[in-house]
Amino acid sequence: MTHHPTQSPQFFLTAPSPCPYIDGQFERKVFTHLVGDKASEMNDLLTQGGFRRSQNIAYRPACESCRACVSVRILANEFEPTRSMRRVLHDNTDLIGDIRDAEPSNEQYSLFRKYLDARHRKGGMSDMTVLDYAMMVEDTHVNTKVIEYRRRGPDSFITGKGRGELIAVALTDIMADGLSMVYSYFDPDLDERSLGTFMILDHINRARAAGLPHVYLGYWVNGSRKMSYKVRFTPQEHLGSKGWERYVPDAV
């Protein structure tokens, strides 16, 4: 039996399963485990190479007949919000994002459950229990944070924290070259706030303030309505056969 050194990751391939984005297609993924004292460095390298993280696993599509999934990252330092995005920022000036260690709470799960039941009732995460949620948040060997968004309280400018009800959450990896938005969710009853857009805009501002050039959004699938929002945040780069290249909307 061959023994591999602990610092060398082993990669595995999943069996084909129905694609959640394109009817009639089947997806496969290549994955490896992110463990040990080099997990953060490995996560950085793999994310830059088109992988995503889920708990302590990094994965990337490896479909046999389709290349529709494209890794996307926003160029934070060059980004300028559109008029509608500026309106979203203005509509949410009463919110504060409090960055915390990756620890789950009952309040988070209640909001997460409400979000899934309203937006993704038939999705792959629809049957997640409170224990599943806790694993999603805390099963990480990299620098992961939870950002909780709440309305400002009377002492928010002193404490830097909101005091209102929890209305949105982002699970985020802090990398050497950017922020990677692993998963985010929000109160589905507050559609008028466009909280999904707001959290991405907030991450762009956080990356810029920290001197980090990128915000990683995961995969964009051309033609998928679920993914169409990702290409609104320009300028951005897409990972292709020649590496990361600037996205030109008219070319798609």
Side-chain angles (χ1 to χ4, degrees):
M1 182 176 179
T2 302
H3 293 276
H4 296 272
T6 56
Q7 301 298 338
S8 299
Q10 292 180 285
F11 292 90
F12 307 90
L13 189 64
T14 65
S17 61
C19 176
Y21 302 112
I22 302 178
D23 292 339
Q25 290 285 357
F26 286 83
E27 67 170 359
R28 301 189 77 178
K29 294 177 181 144
V30 60
F31 70 94
T32 189
H33 295 278
L34 293 168
V35 294
D37 57 0
K38 297 293 185 181
S40 286
E41 295 177 27
M42 184 59 62
N43 186 50
D44 283 11
L45 289 172
L46 291 176
T47 301
Q48 292 160 9
F51 281 72
R52 291 289 285 168
R53 185 184 70 80
S54 177
Q55 297 178 223
N56 65 0
I57 290 175
Y59 67 91
R60 186 181 70 183
C63 306
E64 296 176 358
S65 60
C66 180
R67 295 293 183 270
C69 293
V70 179
S71 294
V72 173
R73 67 185 185 187
I74 302 167
L75 300 174
N77 292 329
E78 298 181 47
F79 176 80
E80 291 292 339
T82 63
R83 179 180 299 178
S84 64
M85 291 175 184
R86 290 195 297 270
R87 186 163 54 248
V88 170
L89 288 170
H90 178 268
D91 291 345
N92 289 285
T93 53
D94 61 331
L95 300 186
I96 283 183
D98 181 23
I99 189 165
R100 298 170 171 263
D101 290 334
E103 297 176 354
S105 69
N106 289 334
E107 188 181 21
Q108 290 172 19
Y109 179 72
S110 294
L111 180 61
F112 175 72
R113 188 72 263 162
K114 182 178 181 181
Y115 172 77
L116 288 183
D117 291 344
R119 295 295 186 92
H120 302 286
R121 186 171 297 176
K122 296 182 180 180
M125 303 173 74
S126 61
D127 59 350
M128 285 181 65
T129 66
V130 66
L131 294 178
D132 295 328
Y133 175 78
M135 290 292 289
M136 183 180 80
V137 173
E138 64 187 5
D139 189 7
T140 175
H141 292 260
V142 306
N143 187 9
T144 303
K145 298 294 182 182
V146 169
I147 306 177
E148 295 187 343
Y149 295 89
R150 303 175 186 271
R151 292 183 177 88
R152 296 180 185 274
D155 64 344
S156 293
F157 290 104
I158 299 173
T159 66
K161 299 178 181 179
R163 284 293 180 267
E165 182 181 3
L166 183 67
I167 65 172
V169 175
L171 183 65
T172 302
D173 288 346
I174 301 177
M175 300 165 37
D177 75 326
L179 302 179
S180 178
M181 298 185 69
V182 176
Y183 195 79
S184 60
Y185 56 94
F186 51 85
D187 188 337
D189 293 336
L190 301 176
D191 277 344
E192 71 281 359
R193 283 182 174 266
S194 300
L195 290 166
T197 296
F198 170 71
M199 282 190 282
I200 295 175
L201 294 172
D202 182 64
H203 276 69
I204 294 170
N205 289 335
R206 288 175 183 269
R208 185 181 293 163
L212 300 174
H214 304 121
V215 174
Y216 288 85
L217 293 184
Y219 302 116
W220 169 64
V221 180
N222 189 17
S224 170
R225 292 183 61 186
K226 295 179 183 178
M227 298 291 191
S228 60
Y229 71 92
K230 295 187 179 184
V231 291
R232 295 173 50 228
F233 299 87
T234 57
Q236 62 181 236
E237 292 179 329
H238 292 185
L239 183 60
S241 59
K242 298 180 181 179
W244 288 99
E245 295 184 309
R246 200 177 187 94
Y247 167 66
V248 181
D250 291 340
V252 175

